[in-house]
Amino acid sequence: MQFDIFSLFPAMFEGPLSESILKRAQEAGLLTIALHDIRAYTTDKHHVCDDTPYGGGGGMVLKPEPIFRAVEAVLGADADCPIILLTPQGRLFTQEVAAELAQHERLALVCGRYEGVDERVRQHLATDELSIGDYVLTGGELAAMVIVDAVARQVPRVLGALWAAEDDSHATGLLEGPHYTRPAVFRGWPVPEVLLSGDHARIERWRREEVLRRTWQRRPELLHTTALTEEDLAFLSALEEE
Ligand code: 6GU
């Protein structure tokens, strides 16, 4: 899968995308992340990318020309690649959206900055707009990194054989339960006895109950939008009783 990221600050991406899993995925050829400096696509002597807003008011607005030039130069005739503008006004990025985006062979991410981006970029270049949550960042770069990370780990073989993305918090519509590793007792705090029992049926049942318990405690609304078995529902009723 290929990501083409358009930004005024491509150096912001160097750390997060070149460590750990994303680094290995790129080395293995599963993932290509191409950074494009929007400023390199200006045509004026001073490489100006922003300007004051028509109609007055504060702040600066990103000019349309360098963004259109950059995206058109890089994507060329690749007409069906989604072009996603990162903006706090976009639709909310969720696990479901990550799974949907992972179906594409290529994605273009355009990072907004300052007070905003000229409206013609939204109207005539972007095919989608995404936000990563209800707070305002100084630019779309951190949001783009979040999206690259969450989408890339959905791509087959990126996580490797040791993990599967299917059991994640939110992938199942529920939160993940607790995890333990050695030592069996740390500072007097023991690992739950069931995990040391070797009884796999009992362990599986316990794990499912902890997933349900944690979701019920922290994000009860998620229980209404996921498929639950009769056994799950019986356990949740018992929790309510407690
Ligand atoms: Cl995509 N951009 C900015 N500037 N702020 C945000 C965001 C994006 N998502 C949440 N806050």
Side-chain angles (χ1 to χ4, degrees):
M1 173 162 196
Q2 172 155 348
F3 292 91
D4 287 283
I5 302 174
F6 298 85
S7 167
L8 282 172
F9 301 99
M12 283 182 72
F13 293 84
E14 278 164 22
L17 303 183
S18 38
E19 296 283 351
S20 185
I21 290 171
L22 296 185
K23 176 185 180 180
R24 278 201 287 109
Q26 288 172 90
E27 287 167 355
L30 299 170
L31 202 62
T32 302
I33 302 172
L35 295 166
H36 308 287
D37 186 351
I38 294 170
R39 202 172 296 280
Y41 294 87
T42 52
T43 51
D44 62 305
K45 189 165 118 214
H46 294 106
H47 305 293
V48 175
C49 289
D50 60 345
D51 204 342
T52 53
Y54 272 118
M60 297 295 269
V61 175
L62 284 186
K63 292 167 65 60
E65 305 97 313
I67 300 177
F68 272 81
R69 277 173 55 87
V71 172
E72 286 168 354
V74 169
L75 295 188
D78 192 351
D80 48 46
C81 165
I83 301 170
I84 301 167
L85 179 65
L86 286 319
T87 159
Q89 291 98 52
R91 67 180 174 125
L92 187 64
F93 181 69
T94 61
Q95 189 66 29
E96 202 176 344
V97 176
E100 166 200 320
L101 295 181
Q103 302 306 307
H104 293 275
E105 203 35 59
R106 189 177 194 187
L107 293 177
L109 302 177
V110 179
C111 302
R113 269 273 148 182
Y114 311 118
E115 294 308 299
V117 175
D118 188 282
E119 188 66 15
R120 288 159 293 189
V121 171
R122 296 174 197 282
Q123 289 177 331
H124 304 295
L125 186 66
T127 60
D128 199 357
E129 297 174 42
L130 292 176
S131 161
I132 60 165
D134 290 339
Y135 37 80
V136 180
L137 304 169
T138 57
E141 284 79 5
L142 288 166
M145 291 181 229
V146 165
I147 290 170
V148 168
D149 189 288
V151 172
R153 66 190 293 295
Q154 299 292 319
V155 171
R157 300 193 295 126
V158 164
L159 289 189
L162 286 179
W163 294 281
E166 290 89 55
D167 291 339
D168 297 337
S169 284
H170 297 289
T172 60
L174 301 174
L175 301 186
E176 261 185 87
H179 302 286
Y180 292 90
T181 187
R182 275 173 285 275
V185 182
F186 171 67
R187 296 191 178 177
W189 301 307
V191 169
E193 171 278 323
V194 56
L195 295 177
L196 310 176
S197 69
D199 180 344
H200 293 292
R202 218 176 120 222
I203 291 170
E204 280 317 299
R205 197 171 341 112
W206 181 85
R207 284 190 169 147
R208 181 66 181 174
E209 289 175 1
E210 292 306 308
V211 163
L212 294 168
R213 184 195 310 280
R214 186 158 284 186
T215 307
W216 179 76
Q217 284 169 340
R218 300 182 184 189
R219 299 288 304 277
E221 77 280 8
L222 298 177
L223 293 168
H224 303 298
T225 51
T226 197
L228 300 172
T229 65
E230 288 295 325
E231 216 178 350
D232 292 340
L233 292 168
F235 178 75
L236 288 167
S237 310
L239 274 182
E240 302 273 359
E241 297 290 311
E242 280 174 33

